[in-house]
Amino acid sequence: MYGLTITGLRRRFDISGRSIDALDGIDLTIASGELLAVVGHSGCGKTTLLHHVAGLQRPDAGTIAFEGPDGPAASARFGMVFQEPRLMPWKTVRGNLELALKHIASGAEAESRIADALETVGLAAFADAWPHQLSGGMAQRVSLARALCREPDILLLDEPFGALDALTRSRIHGEFAAIRLRRPLTTILVTHDIAEAVRLADRVAIMQAGRLTAVFDIDLPHPRPLAAPGLAEEVATITAAVLGDTISQA
Ligand SMILES: Nc1ncnc2c1ncn2[C@@H]1O[C@H](COP(=O)(O)OP(=O)(O)O)[C@@H](O)[C@H]1O
Ligand SMILES: [Mg+2]
């Protein structure tokens, strides 16, 4: 597992003559095995931050340093999950995972990784199912399995449950928490759902207009049921901080 340290990260976009500081000096350390949630309004720079961590975009300034099990590392392997499952409709669940393993693993090694990942997300029985046969929640678990089978060092989740209905989302939070106990991975979870952040994260960072304005430690044991003592208070505190109607704690 990998930790990472982001220092002075900046990225400016010019959109029709106007400059937007999508990342306006981000400093952040994420420990190995930690789940950090980033919450904030639409357009505050969350996706841009994930893209820079994954190396898909280059910053104007700043660095991202990775710390592997054997010390500093030049890069890391990433698993990404997006709001939409992005499964290939003409491939089965297994076929979709095989596609993700192209150039990474084949034959028995690939099959064992796929079986492992599907087992982890509780879909071992659905390897031969087609995407259209899956519910929204199942499809998102397949897309998580697709990321996991690549055995990433760091998991990057961009509003992965955002398209699910509220009941399914709440259920999948519980499932995801259980998956994390089975397979702990350094994870950045971007979400605008503060309850989701508080249920799943070790720390919750608030992002506003390209800056991290506060980071909250969530000192509640995992997994956290919906009605876990203290959970509602954390959600209220962080919601107030995002809305800016209280003094935020740095
Ligand atoms: N490729 C791009 N070109 C120009 N502007 C961009 C690009 N990507 C993001 N932006 C701008 O940067 C800001 C942050 O976007 P984004 O990271 O997608 O926000 P979030 O994920 O928090 O909704 C927005 O104002 C958006 O318009
Ligand atoms: Mg986004």
Side-chain angles (χ1 to χ4, degrees):
M1 257 185 295
Y2 279 53
L4 65 155
T5 301
I6 300 171
T7 311
L9 202 64
R10 295 187 172 278
R11 181 66 193 270
R12 173 173 287 180
F13 292 115
D14 292 305
I15 309 172
S16 49
R18 216 160 61 90
S19 286
I20 290 173
D21 290 307
L23 301 176
D24 191 10
I26 301 280
D27 296 303
L28 184 64
T29 296
I30 301 163
S32 177
E34 180 180 29
L35 189 154
L36 177 99
V38 179
V39 301
H41 294 289
S42 182
C44 73
K46 304 181 296 295
T47 295
T48 304
L49 177 63
L50 283 194
H51 285 172
H52 281 75
V53 169
L56 300 173
Q57 295 185 28
R58 300 244 148 253
D60 297 324
T63 56
I64 303 172
F66 299 100
E67 183 76 24
D70 309 317
S75 185
R77 275 171 306 164
F78 298 97
M80 296 192 78
V81 181
F82 310 93
Q83 182 161 336
E84 330 76 44
R86 302 188 185 182
L87 302 176
M88 302 297 153
W90 58 86
K91 296 243 177 225
T92 61
V93 166
R94 177 186 287 111
N96 270 279
L97 270 61
E98 280 168 351
L99 207 56
L101 284 175
K102 211 172 162 191
H103 309 306
I104 294 179
S106 58
E109 160 78 7
E111 290 317 304
S112 132
R113 283 194 190 201
I114 289 168
D116 233 39
L118 289 177
E119 181 75 41
T120 300
V121 302
L123 290 177
F126 290 86
D128 297 316
W130 296 92
H132 75 267
Q133 297 174 313
L134 307 173
S135 69
M138 287 161 79
Q140 266 316 45
R141 275 149 67 202
V142 171
S143 87
L144 180 60
R146 180 179 52 190
L148 292 176
C149 74
R150 294 162 64 100
E151 299 187 349
D153 305 309
I154 296 173
L155 200 54
L156 302 174
L157 310 176
D158 196 354
E159 312 210 14
F161 314 124
L164 303 174
D165 68 86
L167 287 177
T168 303
R169 199 182 326 144
S170 191
R171 199 188 62 228
I172 210 169
H173 290 158
E175 290 165 359
F176 183 77
I179 289 169
R180 258 190 77 67
L181 290 176
R182 288 198 291 278
R183 266 206 204 194
L185 257 183
T186 310
T187 302
I188 303 178
L189 166 68
V190 158
T191 179
H192 52 242
D193 179 347
I194 294 169
E196 171 173 304
V198 171
R199 269 189 88 179
L200 299 176
D202 301 305
R203 287 188 301 152
V204 177
I206 297 180
M207 193 163 180
Q208 275 164 340
R211 295 183 188 183
L212 295 182
T213 53
V215 181
F216 293 83
D217 286 313
I218 312 295
D219 284 324
L220 302 171
H222 292 286
R224 300 168 184 155
L226 202 49
L231 201 124
E233 288 79 357
E234 295 279 7
V235 172
T237 305
I238 295 174
T239 304
V242 171
L243 295 176
D245 64 0
T246 189
I247 301 161
S248 53
Q249 88 189 41

